[in-house]
Amino acid sequence: MKLLNNLTFRVLVAITLGVLIGHFFPETAAKLKPLGDLFINLIKMVIAPIIFLTIVLGISNMGDLKKVGRVGGKALLYFEVVTTIALIIGLVVANWLRPGEGVQTTAVAGGAAETVSKYAEQGKGMDWLEFFLHIVPSNAVKAFAEGEILQVLVFSLLFGVGLTRMGERGYPLIQTFERLSKVFFNILGVVMVLAPLGAFGGMAFTIGKYGLTTLVPLAKLMGTVYLTMFLFIFVVLNLILRYYKISLWAVLKYIKEEILIVLGTSSSESVLPLIMDKLESLGCSRSVVGLVVPAGYSFNLDGTTIYLSMATIFLAQVFHVDLTLGQELTIIGILMVTSKGAAGVTGSGFIVLASTLTAIRVIPVEGLALLLGVDRFMSEARSITNLIGNTAATLFVANNEREFDRRRYNRAIGKLEQDELANYEY
């Protein structure tokens, strides 16, 4: 049956089995984390070389270095505007629905206190100047070895510029990189066979360790966050894509496999190379994809931004802290900076949140303990929103730069519909 060979179907079945195993056999499920970690590690193995090759080939094919700067500038401007909109939406909805009202605080004790203390100390010690200096690698090989996406991005940009300046003499190297790029995408194709296993392990671990019952006390916060991200995707991102006559729904159907993998693994990084390949097939030029997607994974975290703003207001409501308009504007200003560093910090969400609470000094940092139980469940929504946000950003910049092939887009969407009809016949 064609349906059994469909990756989307297999990942969906794996996620369902993961939920069932996690619910009915929690002790066994909690030990399945290595399956998800194995799949993510396999993906991470090829992320750095794929980003390097894609960016270098994109710049060399672009030829005009002024165009490289223009595309990068447009992307960064887009990221700042859209993430600011995401921040404001998060604050408005949290103030409107007030998910923190009625939540009972409990004494922060045991492991929770220890964890919160660790995040708070890391948050206090965050040096954002040091973070921006960290973007430039002191050792390019180390950047590749440790999978530092931003450092690999910077090195790739410089390498691409250097190769472009060689002119025709660099052509043999470009041909070699083209072949290497195909090799790594072939490796990726082999790794994707294990996607259902990774999704199964990740989902089983989450349900097995934390349990569905942990959602009950904070169900209103969960619902509010999911609703806000839904509105952001289907209103804000939909309007952005409609401006260039692109169907958001068609795009979501086209990347549904990647969305399901992110749902299972709780990591948007697990599909980074895949989404780059998909966006090229969808009509975006390689040069735009190579510049926008890797940068977006660090500077265009729409889901993370929404979550951080809502979590801050939620904790203020829980502790009955009435924030003034000035304080909320201060929160927006702080998060505009701190959320950009989320991808470059281990334990990013909690550390950034801790640093924000420490900076405004009116909400107890100990309140982070309330979020420990549900953070893992909300990480799926954050990761999926980040993925869709970066997809929309790439499509926007590609259209704005006239680097979008409408015929390829129509072919990709048309083929998707034909494949779906073929699956239903069996």
Side-chain angles (χ1 to χ4, degrees):
M1 285 178 67
K2 283 189 177 181
L3 193 59
L4 293 176
N5 293 326
N6 185 287
L7 182 61
T8 304
F9 176 76
R10 285 185 282 130
V11 170
L12 198 54
V13 169
I15 290 173
T16 304
L17 289 174
V19 172
L20 294 174
I21 296 293
H23 183 65
F24 292 107
F25 306 99
E27 291 184 8
T28 303
K31 298 175 183 177
L32 295 176
K33 188 173 185 288
L35 292 178
D37 291 344
L38 173 67
F39 174 69
I40 291 176
N41 285 343
L42 285 168
I43 293 290
K44 284 183 176 180
M45 178 179 67
V46 296
I47 284 178
I50 284 179
I51 287 177
F52 172 75
L53 292 167
T54 304
I55 291 175
V56 170
L57 290 170
I59 291 174
S60 60
N61 289 333
M62 200 180 280
D64 183 2
L65 295 180
K66 287 184 180 178
K67 187 176 179 182
V68 175
R70 189 174 67 244
V71 171
K74 284 182 180 178
L76 290 174
L77 178 62
Y78 173 94
F79 296 159
E80 193 57 51
V81 171
V82 175
T83 51
T84 302
I85 292 171
L87 265 177
I88 294 169
I89 290 174
L91 290 174
V92 169
V93 176
N95 278 301
W96 175 40
L97 296 181
R98 305 190 68 79
E101 286 188 348
V103 175
Q104 297 298 314
T105 60
T106 54
V108 181
E114 208 172 291
T115 305
V116 169
S117 175
K118 179 188 75 173
Y119 285 127
E121 284 304 313
Q122 286 178 282
K124 286 177 186 176
M126 292 181 82
D127 186 336
W128 296 105
L129 176 60
E130 187 180 323
F131 166 75
F132 286 113
L133 290 175
H134 177 72
I135 290 173
V136 180
S138 59
N139 186 322
V141 175
K142 185 181 177 184
F144 278 86
E146 296 182 353
E148 293 277 2
I149 293 177
L150 270 178
Q151 292 188 354
V152 171
L153 172 64
V154 170
F155 176 74
S156 304
L157 284 168
L158 293 173
F159 195 101
V161 170
L163 184 59
T164 302
R165 294 182 69 178
M166 288 180 67
E168 292 184 4
R169 289 177 297 162
Y171 187 67
L173 190 55
I174 292 172
Q175 286 184 310
T176 302
F177 283 170
E178 289 277 6
R179 295 188 183 99
L180 280 173
S181 179
K182 290 177 182 177
V183 169
F184 277 104
F185 275 107
N186 285 338
I187 293 172
L188 185 63
V190 174
V191 170
M192 286 313 298
V193 175
L194 298 176
L197 194 64
F200 168 74
M203 187 58 72
F205 165 75
T206 300
I207 302 297
K209 183 173 181 179
Y210 300 102
L212 293 172
T213 54
T214 58
L215 304 180
V216 177
L218 301 175
K220 190 175 180 182
L221 173 63
M222 286 275 297
T224 305
V225 170
Y226 273 76
L227 173 65
T228 306
M229 293 188 185
F230 180 87
L231 290 173
F232 176 78
I233 291 168
F234 288 96
V235 177
V236 177
L237 297 184
N238 188 29
L239 288 173
I240 289 171
L241 292 182
R242 281 188 66 181
Y243 180 77
Y244 286 112
K245 298 180 181 178
I246 293 174
S247 166
L248 173 66
W249 189 247
V251 171
L252 293 181
K253 282 167 64 178
Y254 190 71
I255 63 168
K256 61 182 180 294
E257 291 173 357
E258 287 71 27
I259 291 173
L260 287 173
I261 291 169
V262 170
L263 176 64
T265 61
S266 295
S267 170
S268 57
E269 200 174 62
S270 63
V271 296
L272 197 160
L274 288 169
I275 202 66
M276 292 173 76
D277 192 39
K278 277 282 183 79
L279 283 165
E280 279 191 56
S281 301
L282 205 54
C284 300
S285 69
R286 173 180 285 187
S287 54
V288 170
V289 171
L291 286 171
V292 178
V293 176
Y297 264 66
S298 291
F299 294 105
N300 189 41
L301 304 173
D302 299 326
T304 302
T305 302
I306 290 171
Y307 169 72
L308 290 172
S309 62
M310 298 193 78
T312 304
I313 300 300
F314 167 79
L315 291 175
Q317 292 166 358
V318 166
F319 290 101
H320 307 290
V321 177
D322 292 323
L323 296 172
T324 65
L325 178 61
Q327 287 172 322
E328 293 205 9
L329 290 174
T330 301
I331 290 171
I332 291 176
I334 293 169
L335 287 174
M336 281 173 67
V337 178
T338 56
S339 62
K340 300 300 182 293
V345 183
T346 306
S348 58
F350 266 77
I351 296 174
V352 170
L353 193 52
S355 70
T356 305
L357 297 182
T358 302
I360 59 177
R361 297 181 181 181
V362 292
I363 303 170
V365 179
E366 292 75 18
L368 287 173
L370 291 169
L371 302 173
L372 287 173
V374 295
D375 184 71
R376 175 77 185 192
F377 291 96
M378 287 191 282
S379 69
E380 286 121 357
R382 291 199 300 265
S383 298
I384 289 172
T385 306
N386 290 341
L387 170 69
I388 297 170
N390 283 312
T391 300
T394 309
L395 288 165
F396 176 86
V397 175
N399 275 277
N400 192 266
E401 275 293 305
R402 297 182 182 176
E403 293 280 338
F404 183 73
D405 190 331
R406 179 69 60 172
R407 287 175 299 179
R408 241 190 317 157
Y409 167 80
N410 291 333
R411 277 200 305 269
I413 299 303
K415 185 178 183 300
L416 173 67
E417 292 171 352
Q418 290 172 5
D419 289 345
E420 287 181 344
L421 287 172
N423 284 329
Y424 284 125
E425 289 173 4
Y426 283 82

